């Protein structure tokens, strides 16, 4: 789920807010990252939802890379994980991919390829935690193989995936899980000529948002996703595949009881912090997230418009709710959102913001809302083939 590949914010002088704490002035590439380490609030400890999503569609991922390998049978197979983040999710799927290709190579009596694996995320990502787990990763792969495992070369590739990352035609397979719903920047059109937000009191699209807010988010999504597709088309070989897992929405309405509702709860939680004089209202008014939950039609339209790929699959699914140690669903969601948003919140509001209080209120509100009407965030899995 890195969630995680964002360009520095660049706006012209007319759109550049006077408020230096505005997300529009924030260098997101330097600020945005999942909470590192292995502590209680780290992404490593609070990414079970993302792992569940990856596992739910793992059969699609494995079928896709096996199909690709069967068609191309390269001696050196290039794989990129875009938005790899940190923690146990980063390498577990790479191992599954290697074993899937190994099974196919045996079936067709073809020598195993070497694997070139590129782990990509923003420069502030906790790559060290990933690299520290590599010895165990290699050791695990050699099990039951008489100490002879496949040749795997793994490298970290920091940078934004909204633009080129790799040389031309060097990749065969691209995987990205829970990353592409993050935009390259907060949409500049959310701010007037004075640098004031037109979406006051909301961190995302809400019922109280003017229509121009959803239009601004949609325009930014179109620009970003088109650039992503164009960049990847130059890096993939012909016939190369991409498996993309990202949050979305069911219909045309941007406001629903899905992913947008979790941002509505964050807005309410911040309002409580304002009422308790913990943070300033002006700071909340100028806080907007660089997130977009696209619809099926919007994803299909951009793929067709860009023209480099055909859609092999596009499926929608929900994650079954699972909580650990008897904690409530609201608490689990709050910890997940905190692990994702902590870097941005601290940068905008300052280290003085009481995140424990903020997300305690957040978790309670989620549980209260779940009693009223269920919250159903949906996820898309998309398989694309380079033409």
């Amino acid at each position: 789920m890195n969630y995680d590949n964002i360009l520095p914010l660049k706006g012209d002088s007319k759109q550049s807010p006077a408020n230096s704490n505005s997300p529009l002035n924030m260098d997101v590439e330097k600020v945005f990252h999942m909470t590192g380490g292995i502590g209680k609030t780290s992404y490593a400890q609070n990414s079970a939802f993302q792992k569940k999503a990856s596992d739910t569609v793992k059969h699609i991922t494995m079928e896709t890379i096996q199909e690709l390998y069967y068609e191309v049978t390269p001696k050196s197979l290039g794989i990129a994980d875009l938005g790899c983040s940190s923690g146990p999710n980063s390498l577990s799927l790479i191992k599954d991919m290697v074993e899937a290709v190994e099974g196919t190579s045996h079936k067709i009596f073809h020598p195993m390829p070497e694997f070139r694996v590129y782990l990509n995320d923003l420069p502030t990502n906790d790559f060290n935690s990933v690299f520290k787990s590599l010895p165990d990763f290699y050791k695990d792969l050699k099990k039951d193989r008489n100490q002879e495992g496949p040749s795997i070369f793994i490298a970290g590739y920091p940078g934004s995936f909204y633009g080129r990352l790799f040389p031309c035609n060097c990749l065969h397979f691209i995987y990205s899980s829970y990353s592409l719903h993050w935009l390259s920047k907060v949409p500049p059109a959310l701010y007037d000529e004075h640098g004031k937000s037109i979406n006051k009191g909301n961190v995302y699209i809400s019922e109280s948002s003017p229509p121009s807010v959803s239009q601004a988010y949609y325009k930014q999504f179109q620009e970003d996703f088109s650039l992503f597709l164009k960049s990847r088309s130059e890096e993939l070989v012909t016939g190369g595949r991409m498996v993309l897992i990202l949050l979305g929405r069911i219909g045309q309405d941007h406001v629903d009881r899905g992913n947008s509702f979790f941002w509505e709860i964050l807005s309410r939680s911040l309002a409580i912090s304002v009422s308790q004089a913990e943070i300033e209202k002006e700071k909340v008014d100028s806080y907007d997230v660089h997130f977009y939950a696209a619809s099926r039609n919007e994803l299909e339209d951009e793929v067709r418009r860009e023209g480099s790929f055909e859609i092999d699959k596009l499926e929608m699914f929900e994650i079954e709710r699972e909580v650990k140690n008897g904690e409530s669903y609201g608490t689990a969601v709050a910890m997940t959102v905190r692990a994702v948003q902590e870097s941005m919140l601290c940068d905008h509001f300052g280290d003085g913001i009481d995140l424990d209080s903020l997300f305690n209120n957040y978790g309670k509100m989620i549980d209260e809302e779940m009693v009223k009407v269920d919250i159903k965030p949906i996820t898309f899995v998309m398989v694309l083939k380079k033409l």
Side-chain angles (χ1 to χ4, degrees):
M1 178 223 79
N2 159 125
Y3 294 125
D4 311 314
N5 301 280
I6 314 299
L7 283 171
L9 301 176
K10 301 173 184 176
D12 60 36
S13 58
K14 293 181 181 178
Q15 292 177 325
S16 182
N19 178 5
S20 63
N21 287 318
S22 165
L24 192 59
N25 273 341
M26 189 183 294
D27 190 340
V28 185
E29 187 172 1
K30 292 182 179 178
V31 176
F32 183 55
H33 60 84
M34 307 298 103
T35 302
I38 55 173
K40 183 180 178 181
T41 62
S42 68
Y43 184 77
Q45 296 291 330
N46 296 285
S47 52
F49 290 127
Q50 292 88 334
K51 179 68 164 61
K52 186 73 172 177
S54 177
D55 288 347
T56 299
V57 297
K58 187 165 75 171
H59 64 289
I60 293 176
T61 304
M62 296 308 124
E63 288 168 5
T64 302
I65 196 169
Q66 286 175 314
E67 183 180 89
L68 162 78
Y69 177 71
Y70 181 79
E71 291 179 8
V72 183
T73 58
K75 291 184 178 180
S76 180
L77 184 65
I79 299 172
D81 182 350
L82 305 184
C84 66
S85 192
S86 58
N89 295 354
S90 300
L91 293 173
S92 63
L93 203 74
I94 298 299
K95 180 175 182 290
D96 293 332
M97 291 179 189
V98 169
E99 291 175 344
V101 170
E102 184 178 36
T104 301
S105 70
H106 289 162
K107 284 182 181 178
I108 62 175
F109 302 103
H110 196 276
M112 269 280 281
E114 67 176 19
F115 294 85
R116 293 173 286 113
V117 179
Y118 307 101
L119 303 177
N120 159 259
D121 213 310
L122 290 177
T124 50
N125 181 58
D126 186 7
F127 282 103
N128 280 339
S129 69
V130 181
F131 296 150
K132 286 176 182 176
S133 64
L134 283 177
D136 287 338
F137 170 79
Y138 289 124
K139 183 179 179 181
D140 197 32
L141 272 175
K142 289 180 180 179
K143 282 181 181 178
D144 305 319
R145 289 185 174 91
N146 297 320
Q147 295 301 307
E148 289 190 13
S151 297
I152 305 176
F153 306 95
I154 298 178
Y157 240 77
S160 168
F161 58 36
Y162 290 120
R164 287 290 301 276
L165 283 167
F166 308 100
C168 288
N169 302 314
C170 72
L171 297 176
H172 298 89
F173 186 81
I174 290 174
Y175 176 82
S176 180
S177 180
Y178 274 45
S179 297
L180 271 166
H181 42 250
W182 296 108
L183 300 173
S184 68
K185 58 186 174 183
V186 176
L190 291 181
Y191 297 85
D192 63 21
E193 67 269 20
H194 304 294
K196 301 295 184 181
S197 174
I198 63 173
N199 196 29
K200 288 182 172 60
N202 302 308
V203 303
Y204 184 58
I205 306 167
S206 175
E207 287 184 354
S208 62
S209 301
S212 54
V213 170
S214 57
Q215 293 164 9
Y217 273 104
Y218 178 48
K219 180 183 178 183
Q220 191 63 52
F221 159 76
Q222 288 180 301
E223 292 177 3
D224 287 346
F225 195 50
S226 178
L227 178 58
F228 174 86
L229 294 172
K230 182 178 185 300
S231 301
R232 302 295 81 76
S233 71
E234 295 178 31
E235 297 162 353
L236 278 167
V237 301
T238 299
R241 305 293 204 281
M242 289 201 293
V243 174
L244 311 176
I245 305 168
L246 67 161
L247 295 172
R249 69 182 197 276
I250 294 176
Q252 293 306 304
D253 192 351
H254 289 87
V255 181
D256 57 17
R257 297 281 292 192
N259 291 301
S260 69
F261 194 71
F262 288 129
W263 295 117
E264 171 66 24
I265 297 299
L266 182 58
S267 297
R268 295 182 194 176
S269 300
L270 288 168
I272 292 175
S273 296
V274 170
S275 70
Q276 296 174 343
E278 294 175 357
I279 54 177
E280 299 172 5
K281 183 179 184 300
E282 291 74 17
K283 286 281 190 77
V284 175
D285 287 342
S286 63
Y287 188 72
D288 299 279
V289 294
H290 55 288
F291 170 92
Y292 187 72
S295 69
R296 178 190 296 269
N297 288 342
E298 290 170 349
L299 291 168
E300 291 174 336
D301 287 347
E302 289 311 309
V303 172
R304 280 194 290 264
R305 186 178 291 115
E306 195 279 328
S308 299
F309 295 88
E310 65 177 3
I311 300 175
D312 274 357
K313 286 185 179 68
L314 179 53
E315 299 181 8
M316 183 179 73
F317 63 98
E318 287 182 44
I319 305 298
E320 292 183 14
R321 285 192 289 275
E322 283 186 9
V323 293
K324 58 185 179 181
N325 303 324
E327 68 183 7
S328 72
Y329 177 67
T331 298
V333 173
M335 294 296 284
T336 300
V337 175
R338 176 173 179 170
V340 173
Q341 276 287 289
E342 184 165 346
S343 64
M344 300 294 283
L345 289 166
C346 288
D347 185 83
H348 183 78
F349 294 99
D351 293 335
I353 185 172
D354 188 343
L355 292 176
D356 290 338
S357 175
L358 178 71
F359 284 103
N360 184 48
N361 290 329
Y362 186 100
K364 287 179 180 178
M365 279 191 274
I366 291 290
D367 287 330
E368 289 168 1
E369 289 291 339
M370 289 292 291
V371 174
K372 300 175 188 175
V373 182
D374 203 3
I375 304 172
K376 295 184 176 181
I378 64 103
T379 299
F380 288 113
V381 58
M382 174 183 270
V383 179
L384 301 178
K385 179 179 181 181
K386 182 184 171 183
L387 297 172

